[in-house]
C-alpha cells in the first residue's frame, strides 16, 4: 500500500468509519480471541452521534472537562469536535487509526494526530483534561499498562487536571460467553475484563489488541496506585456503562 | 461434548437458529476465506419467515412442487413445514446441522433427518420434487460436485420430477469485495461465484465449505450436462435472486 496509509489492510476500524462517513452504511464487528464474533447494533453510527443522542452519563461527564483537552482514541471525532465547537476548548484528538484521523479532520477537528496511546510523549503540564469516552478506559489495555500510562499522564497534565473516562462494568452481565471468558482470564491471572479483540470490517482485519473493562472498584484501585484518585462515578441507568472522574491526589 | 450433538462447537448455524427459536435474538455472520465478514441484516429471522413474507419468486416457485418432496438444507424448516402443513405434501427435510434438525422437528416438521447433501443415498424414484430455497443451489458447492449430485438426483427422483432451486446471480453486483473475489476465483480456475465460507455465531465457528452462486446461464449449462433441463427462471424484481425449475430431458 506504500504511503497511502488510509488503505492499510489492518485499519478495519478506520474503514468502518470511512464508509459510514461517506455512505452512512456498514456495521462494526468485533472478534474476541475466544472466537466470539459480535456484530454491533449501534456502531459505527454511534461514533457519529450528536451530543443530544449521547448516553446521559457522557453528557453529564462533560461538566468535568476544561482547558486544554486530550481526547484519547478520538475515532470519528464525536467528543473532540463537540468540545471544540460548542465548548470552544483547545482539543487534540489522537487515534492509532489513519482513517479515523482523516475522518476527524474532514469533519472539522482542527487538531487530530495519528498516534497510539502507548506512544504519547507530551511536555509536562500540556493538558488540563483527558477524555476517554466510548469505553476508552479500555485503551489502557491491562492493569500494568494502565499504571504506566496513568503515571505518564500525571506528568503530562496540569496540577488540577481531570481524566474523564468511561468503561462498562464487566460483572454486570449474565451472558454465558462473557462469564466463561472472565473465568478463563482469572485462570490465566489476567484481569477478568481484559478482552483481547480485533476489528473486522469487510475484508479488513484489524490487529489484535487488549482492551480493559473494569468495575468502578477496580478502576479506583488502579488509579490510587498511580497518584490519581477516583473522585466521582456517574452511572448510566439500567446499564453497566459509567463515566469516572480521576483527579490528582 | 460426546453424544450431545446439539452443542457441537462447529454448529454455528444451528446455534444461531436455536437461539432465535428460543429467544428471537441473534444475528447471522458469514465469513469468507478472503477475510470478508458479513453480518446479515435479515438472518436468522428470515429462516423463520411465514409464507406471506417470502420473496415473490419463492412463492411463485411453490407451484412447481408436488408429491414426495426432498428439502435440501431445510434449516429451521421454513419451506418444509409450509409444504407439509398447507400443501399436505410428504416432505423430508435434510440438513447437516444437528440443531437445525432439532429446531425443525420442534417446530412441527414430521420428517427431518441429519444428513449432509453429499451423503444422500435414497432409493431410485424416491421423490417427485427437490426444493433448494434460500440460495441453496449453493449447496452443490462446485461445478464438479453439482454434476455428480445432479446425476444422483436424476436416479433418486421420479420421471416427471422437478428440482425447484434458488440462487443469486453473482454478476449482478457492484460490491468491490465481491468483484475482487470473483477475479481471484477466475485466476484459480474456479467458478467466479464459488465462495468458500463458514458461519460465525457467538463463540461457535462453523466448518469451511464451498457455496456456489451461479447465473441462470451457468445453471443451465450445469443442468444440461447431467440429464436435467432448465425449463423456467423466475426472477425477483430489483434483485439478483431467482428461482429456477429443472426438469428431466
Amino acid at each position: 500500500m506504500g504511503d497511502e496509509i488510509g488503505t492499510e489492510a489492518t485499519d478495519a476500524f478506520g474503514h468502518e468509519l470511512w464508509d459510514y462517513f461517506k455512505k452512512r452504511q456498514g456495521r462494526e464487528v468485533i472478534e474476541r480471541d475466544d472466537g466470539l464474533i459480535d456484530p454491533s447494533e449501534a456502531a459505527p453510527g454511534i461514533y457519529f452521534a450528536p451530543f443530544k443522542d449521547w448516553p446521559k452519563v457522557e453528557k453529564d461527564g462533560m461538566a468535568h472537562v476544561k482547558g486544554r483537552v486530550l481526547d484519547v482514541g478520538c475515532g470519528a471525532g464525536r467528543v473532540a469536535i463537540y468540545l471544540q465547537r460548542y465548548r470552544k476548548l483547545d482539543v487534540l484528538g489522537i487515534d492509532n487509526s489513519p482513517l479515523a484521523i482523516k475522518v476527524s479532520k474532514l469533519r472539522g477537528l482542527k487538531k487530530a494526530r495519528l498516534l497510539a496511546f502507548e506512544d504519547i510523549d507530551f511536555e509536562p503540564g500540556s493538558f488540563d483534561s483527558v477524555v476517554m469516552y466510548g469505553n476508552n478506559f479500555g485503551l489502557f489495555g491491562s492493569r500494568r499498562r494502565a499504571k504506566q500510562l496513568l503515571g505518564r499522564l500525571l506528568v503530562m497534565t496540569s496540577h488540577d487536571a481531570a481524566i474523564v473516562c468511561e468503561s462498562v462494568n464487566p460483572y454486570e452481565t449474565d451472558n454465558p460467553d462473557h462469564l466463561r471468558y472472565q473465568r478463563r482470564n482469572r485462570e490465566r491471572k489476567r484481569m477478568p475484563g481484559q478482552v483481547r479483540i480485533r476489528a473486522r470490517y469487510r475484508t479488513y482485519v484489524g490487529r489484535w489488541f487488549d482492551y480493559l473493562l473494569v468495575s468502578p472498584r477496580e478502576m479506583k484501585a488502579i488509579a490510587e496506585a498511580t497518584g490519581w484518585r477516583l473522585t466521582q462515578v456517574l452511572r448510566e441507568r439500567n446499564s453497566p456503562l459509567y463515566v469516572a472522574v480521576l483527579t490528582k491526589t
Side-chain angles (χ1 to χ4, degrees), chain A residues 13-28:
Chain A
F13 175 68
H15 278 280
E16 166 198 330
L17 296 181
W18 182 257
D19 281 3
Y20 192 86
F21 174 60
K22 289 302 220 184
K23 296 179 281 188
R24 288 285 179 277
Q25 69 182 35
R27 184 182 288 280
E28 176 169 291

Side-chain angles (χ1 to χ4, degrees), chain A residues 112-130:
Chain A
R113 193 182 305 170
L114 179 62
L115 181 65
F117 187 27
E118 64 263 33
D119 295 333
I120 53 169
D121 186 23
F122 298 101
E123 294 296 310
S126 295
F127 301 102
D128 304 301
S129 307
V130 177

Side-chain angles (χ1 to χ4, degrees), chain A residues 61-121:
Chain A
M62 285 286 100
H64 300 271
V65 179
K66 60 183 184 299
R68 299 157 300 161
V69 185
L70 176 67
D71 181 355
V72 177
C74 65
R78 175 175 69 103
V79 177
I81 292 168
Y82 165 79
L83 291 169
Q84 172 188 289
R85 191 166 291 165
Y86 300 104
R87 295 278 306 279
K88 308 296 180 195
L89 299 180
D90 175 16
V91 193
L92 170 65
I94 62 170
D95 207 292
N96 70 353
S97 156
L99 277 172
I101 293 302
K102 188 170 175 182
V103 169
S104 288
K105 285 182 174 167
L106 287 169
R107 293 181 73 219
L109 184 58
K110 290 174 195 158
K111 295 165 72 177
R113 193 182 305 170
L114 179 62
L115 181 65
F117 187 27
E118 64 263 33
D119 295 333
I120 53 169
D121 186 23

Side-chain angles (χ1 to χ4, degrees), chain A residues 122-228:
Chain A
F122 298 101
E123 294 296 310
S126 295
F127 301 102
D128 304 301
S129 307
V130 177
V131 182
M132 308 177 78
Y133 266 25
N135 302 338
N136 269 348
F137 186 88
L139 294 176
F140 281 118
S142 69
R143 184 172 0 221
R144 202 165 67 104
R145 277 187 66 230
K147 288 181 181 173
Q148 290 172 350
L149 286 162
L150 280 167
R152 277 200 250 164
L153 287 175
L154 200 68
V155 180
M156 295 176 198
T157 52
S158 55
H159 76 280
D160 63 342
I163 299 175
V164 186
C165 54
E166 188 176 59
S167 189
V168 291
N169 186 336
Y171 308 112
E172 292 183 26
T173 184
D174 58 2
N175 181 317
D177 299 328
H178 298 341
L179 295 173
R180 192 183 315 114
Y181 194 85
Q182 292 177 17
R183 278 199 302 277
R184 197 185 70 153
N185 267 347
R186 283 194 188 89
E187 287 162 15
R188 297 163 66 198
K189 311 286 182 210
R190 289 156 67 101
M191 289 193 75
Q194 185 175 334
V195 294
R196 190 159 182 79
I197 57 176
R198 64 181 180 184
R200 302 287 300 262
Y201 180 69
R202 291 176 43 200
T203 58
Y204 301 104
V205 181
R207 291 200 184 87
W208 289 108
F209 66 101
D210 281 3
Y211 201 71
L212 183 62
L213 309 176
V214 291
S215 67
R217 188 199 183 92
E218 289 169 334
M219 190 189 286
K220 185 171 188 287
I222 289 171
E224 285 178 357
T226 59
W228 293 92

Side-chain angles (χ1 to χ4, degrees), chain A residues 49-55 58-60 62 78 82 86:
Chain A
F51 183 80
K52 70 174 178 61
D53 295 337
W54 296 7
E58 290 192 345
K59 292 180 186 174
D60 293 347
M62 285 286 100
R78 175 175 69 103
Y82 165 79
Y86 300 104

